[in-house]
Amino acid sequence: MGCSATLLPTPPHLSRHSTSPFPPSPHLNRRNLLFLSTTLTFPSTISTSVAAPPPSPDTTITERVFLDFSICPNYFTNRNLGDDLSNCADSEPIGRLVLGLYGNLVPITVSNFKAMCTGSSGSTYKGTLVQKIFPGQFFMAGRQGRRDKGEVKPPLKLIRNAESIESKAFLLEHSRAGVVSLPLSENDDDDDLKLNPNYHNVEFLITTGPGPCPQLDSKNIVFGTVLEGLDIVTTIAAIPTYKPSENIRQYNDFAELIGDGRAKTARAIWNKPLKTVYISDCGELKVAKPTLSPSLP
């Protein structure tokens, strides 16, 4: 009995001339390419646009005030002046500072400072001391306390300042001489005053240069600049101050380490000027055009 096999026809694509199991690729002519180019889609171009930077802080000067500084040579030897240094008969004038204030940026801080200059706050800077001078950095004034010690009477008619918790209030830097700032980290009012629910921080500092004070940035509120009188700032910065010896500093550090409260009391006289520098007058300067050109921060 024999076996027979039926041979099937060979498919065209497996002819003896082809060794590939797949059908041949179709021929792409010009018409086919044109059709493909109109039907295929390609991914869109990746966007390389960069977000616009935030707007610069508004340093338009909306208010101008003045501070007159003087020296009272006999203040600590003749205490018959009462509680107002502005009664000093033999006052030695230093000069006037004209300050421009950034009322659009920090309106409450500016309003309170202006009220202290004009006396509408129920208190005033007039007749009060420059309490600290840090050579090559800044000087401070406006410390609250007893008027007979040349300190500011605690004001009662000021707006509660909520700008101390607003991020925009800390954008400007203490980058040069003549920056006017509300000290928060540097504030040295007594703790008893700060715990009073009616407490308002009215201290201020002015940078003296020659360089910047980066240690003050992001911790204190810059609200103005010196428009006139940078030479007066330099004169105040050059007044000698009390500098403790290295031994005294080490003893003080140890006392603070063991919790001795007298350490803080002793540090209160550090960097105090050895001359009685005080604000002999202050007030607002009226201008025909209240909003002045922006100033550099």
Side-chain angles (χ1 to χ4, degrees):
M1 183 185 288
C3 295
S4 63
T6 305
L7 297 177
L8 297 176
T10 302
H13 66 280
L14 292 180
S15 64
R16 61 186 180 88
H17 300 292
S18 172
T19 59
S20 172
F22 301 103
S25 301
H27 176 66
L28 296 179
N29 57 28
R30 185 174 181 181
R31 178 179 296 177
N32 292 336
L33 290 174
L34 181 62
F35 173 76
L36 289 173
S37 66
T38 58
T39 57
L40 293 179
T41 59
F42 298 92
S44 59
T45 304
I46 298 175
S47 175
T48 58
S49 60
V50 179
S56 299
D58 187 349
T59 56
T60 301
I61 294 171
T62 59
E63 310 282 351
R64 292 204 306 176
V65 298
F66 71 90
L67 298 171
D68 291 341
F69 290 88
S70 300
I71 293 175
C72 185
N74 65 353
Y75 177 67
F76 291 108
T77 56
N78 177 11
R79 299 311 294 267
N80 297 325
L81 296 173
D83 62 355
D84 195 345
L85 268 165
S86 59
N87 294 327
C88 182
D90 53 353
S91 175
E92 301 172 1
I94 299 175
R96 169 171 291 192
L97 297 185
V98 175
L99 310 181
L101 310 180
Y102 306 144
N104 291 341
L105 181 64
V106 280
I108 297 177
T109 302
V110 165
S111 175
N112 286 350
F113 183 77
K114 177 182 170 183
M116 288 296 298
C117 290
T118 61
S120 62
S121 64
S123 182
T124 180
Y125 293 127
K126 182 177 179 179
T128 63
L129 292 169
V130 171
Q131 74 262 19
K132 293 285 182 73
I133 300 175
F134 298 87
Q137 300 181 62
F138 58 93
F139 69 82
M140 295 181 64
R143 187 178 193 274
Q144 296 181 53
R146 294 166 45 183
R147 288 289 293 183
D148 62 346
K149 294 176 63 177
E151 297 173 330
V152 171
K153 173 186 173 184
L156 300 176
K157 300 178 182 179
L158 291 179
I159 304 170
R160 180 67 57 189
N161 193 346
E163 291 168 349
S164 59
I165 59 174
E166 295 180 3
S167 58
K168 73 169 187 176
F170 299 91
L171 296 177
L172 296 180
E173 298 178 346
H174 302 74
S175 56
R176 57 187 173 80
V179 172
V180 187
S181 180
L182 177 71
L184 301 178
S185 65
E186 308 302 317
N187 179 282
D188 65 348
D189 285 334
D190 289 336
D191 291 337
D192 292 341
L193 278 173
K194 295 178 182 179
L195 293 174
N196 188 319
N198 295 319
Y199 170 76
H200 300 279
N201 180 11
V202 295
E203 272 192 312
F204 66 93
L205 65 84
I206 299 179
T207 56
T208 60
C213 295
Q215 76 276 16
L216 301 177
D217 295 342
S218 304
K219 302 174 184 177
N220 306 279
I221 300 176
V222 174
F223 65 92
T225 185
V226 175
L227 297 177
E228 300 175 22
L230 274 177
D231 57 325
I232 306 304
V233 171
T234 302
T235 299
I236 294 173
I239 292 174
T241 60
Y242 171 73
K243 296 182 178 64
S245 66
E246 187 59 31
N247 285 340
I248 291 177
R249 287 182 181 274
Q250 292 177 0
Y251 287 137
N252 189 273
D253 290 343
F254 178 73
E256 184 179 29
L257 182 65
I258 63 176
D260 191 335
R262 292 174 297 179
K264 182 178 179 180
T265 303
R267 286 199 305 272
I269 65 171
W270 295 7
N271 298 108
K272 275 188 174 293
L274 298 180
K275 295 182 179 181
T276 310
V277 187
Y278 73 102
I279 301 172
S280 50
D281 200 5
C282 54
E284 180 183 10
L285 287 175
K286 298 289 187 179
V287 292
K289 185 179 180 182
T291 300
L292 305 180
S293 301
S295 166
L296 293 175

